[in-house]
């Protein structure tokens, strides 16, 4: 398969899926408090997606080659967990940071987005990591327009992040998205300017940098899904689904509760 170019009708479907995914995060926000379990957040999200939205949680039973079927409807990655954390019965506690990653399928189209949540009172280091990762994602999004290349996106995310003394995870990346959850191309969050695929209008892909406070190395836990930092340093991630338009970009994963874009320093 190659990169799919979405028509205006396709984009209309993806706007709906993107908004629904974002609205699940809006709905969960008030529930992310000390004492709640990630199983409870998963249950709330599942019910909302299926009963209120009439949509499908894409992660549930998702089984790419070499993986066992993913057992839950959302991913919840806490503290040193980088991504693909599996909801469980343990309660969140004040000071935890948690990424909640939601992907819904509506009328065959996927919308994929994640945000960081700080549970109760977060440390300065935790807040800084979450904010910086948000800015890293937006540095990538802000570059998007026809003619730039995927390497330009990766490069801007990597240089911004590493300049602040943080590291970018290499093993996982953004991805094309549409009728399928993970399509071509891979959207690396590191790289060299002027390299890789040039962007053209109608491409849709995610930008979802994972940033570690310590070293970039990761390992997979025995559950076959959860990824953690090797040095147990904190890790954060944000994700949007983005359309390449004629003159720039449109973020598709937007809803009433979407955090505002940050003020980015030029460069
Ligand atoms: N939502 C993740 C992404 O951004 C993928 C999760 S795969 C799952 O690509 F099976 F863990 F849900
Ligand atoms: Co994604
Ligand atoms: Co995701």
């Amino acid at each position: 398969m190659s990169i799919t170019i979405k028509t205006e009708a396709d984009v209309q479907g993806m706007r709906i899926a993107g908004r629904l995914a974002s609205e699940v995060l809006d709905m969960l926000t008030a529930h992310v408090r000390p004492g709640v379990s990630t199983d409870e957040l998963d249950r709330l999200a599942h019910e909302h997606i299926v009963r209120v939205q009439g949509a499908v949680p894409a992660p549930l039973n998702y089984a790419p080659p070499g993986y066992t079927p993913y057992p839950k409807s959302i991913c919840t990655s806490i503290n040193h967990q980088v991504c693909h954390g599996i909801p469980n019965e343990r309660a969140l506690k004040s000071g935890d940071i948690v990424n909640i990653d939601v992907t819904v399928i509506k009328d065959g189209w996927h919308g994929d987005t994640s945000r960081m949540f700080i549970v109760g009172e977060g440390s300065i280091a935790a807040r800084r990591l979450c904010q910086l990762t948000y800015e890293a994602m937006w540095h990538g999004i802000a570059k998007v327009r026809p003619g730039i290349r995927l390497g330009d996106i990766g490069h801007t995310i990597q240089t911004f992040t590493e300049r602040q003394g943080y590291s970018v995870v290499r093993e996982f990346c953004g991805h094309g998205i549409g009728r399928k959850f993970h399509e071509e191309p891979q959207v690396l969050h590191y790289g060299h300017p002027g390299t890789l695929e040039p962007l053209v209008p109608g491409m849709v892909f995610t930008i979802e940098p994972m940033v570690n406070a310590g070293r970039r190395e990761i390992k997979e836990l025995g559950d076959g899904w959860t990824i953690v930092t090797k040095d147990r340093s904190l890790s954060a991630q944000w994700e949007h689904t983005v359309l390449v338009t004629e003159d720039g970009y449109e973020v598709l994963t937007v809803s009433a509760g979407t955090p505002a874009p940050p003020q980015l320093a030029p460069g």
Side-chain angles (χ1 to χ4, degrees):
M1 267 304 287
S2 49
I3 300 173
T4 62
I5 301 301
K6 275 71 179 179
T7 66
E8 184 52 35
D10 298 345
V11 168
Q12 279 178 27
M14 294 205 72
R15 280 194 192 103
I16 294 169
R19 175 173 54 77
L20 294 178
S22 188
E23 284 176 351
V24 175
L25 293 171
D26 294 355
M27 181 278 297
L28 289 174
T29 299
H31 296 276
V32 183
R33 307 177 57 202
V36 76
S37 69
T38 47
D39 263 350
E40 175 66 4
L41 298 175
D42 177 70
R43 190 189 64 76
L44 288 163
H46 182 93
E47 291 299 298
H48 189 83
I49 293 166
V50 172
R51 293 183 199 264
V52 178
Q53 299 183 335
V56 173
L60 188 60
N61 297 316
Y62 185 62
Y67 284 81
T68 56
Y70 187 79
K72 301 280 175 163
S73 294
I74 59 174
C75 297
T76 52
S77 304
I78 304 165
N79 296 337
H80 72 296
Q81 296 178 348
V82 172
C83 63
H84 304 167
I86 302 174
N88 64 24
E89 67 292 338
R90 282 196 304 277
L92 295 175
K93 58 182 192 307
S94 184
D96 284 343
I97 60 170
V98 56
N99 172 277
I100 304 181
D101 193 337
V102 173
T103 311
V104 305
I105 312 169
K106 180 71 176 180
D107 298 330
W109 296 106
H110 289 73
D112 188 8
T113 185
S114 80
R115 300 181 197 159
M116 292 304 298
F117 296 84
I118 298 172
V119 182
E121 202 65 40
S123 69
I124 288 178
R127 293 165 121 49
R128 180 148 184 260
L129 172 66
C130 294
Q131 175 64 27
L132 174 123
T133 307
Y134 187 58
E135 291 175 11
M137 173 186 70
W138 269 102
H139 272 283
I141 294 172
K143 275 262 178 299
V144 172
R145 63 182 165 76
I148 72 135
R149 289 168 178 263
L150 286 172
D152 298 318
I153 297 175
H155 178 75
T156 190
I157 292 171
Q158 180 182 13
T159 51
F160 170 76
T161 303
E162 292 180 351
R163 237 176 237 158
Q164 324 263 343
Y166 294 76
S167 61
V168 176
V169 171
R170 304 279 178 101
E171 290 83 352
F172 296 89
C173 56
H175 49 92
I177 181 168
R179 294 254 176 223
K180 291 199 294 188
F181 195 163
H182 294 103
E183 300 183 353
E184 288 178 25
Q186 295 194 56
V187 181
L188 304 180
H189 304 115
Y190 62 94
H192 299 285
T195 65
L196 305 174
E197 191 76 21
L199 305 191
V200 301
M203 282 184 184
V204 179
F205 51 79
T206 70
I207 298 180
E208 49 178 304
M210 285 140 275
V211 173
N212 298 346
R215 297 176 56 85
R216 68 174 176 80
E217 284 77 13
I218 56 154
K219 61 183 186 190
E220 186 182 293
L221 296 188
D223 62 18
W225 279 101
T226 309
I227 304 299
V228 299
T229 56
K230 229 178 193 171
D231 64 6
R232 297 189 65 86
S233 62
L234 285 181
S235 187
Q237 178 179 31
W238 291 80
E239 175 176 24
H240 269 313
T241 299
V242 179
L243 164 73
V244 183
T245 63
E246 294 295 330
D247 59 359
Y249 64 85
E250 177 183 333
V251 176
L252 300 181
T253 35
V254 287
S255 60
T258 303
Q263 292 286 356
L264 297 181

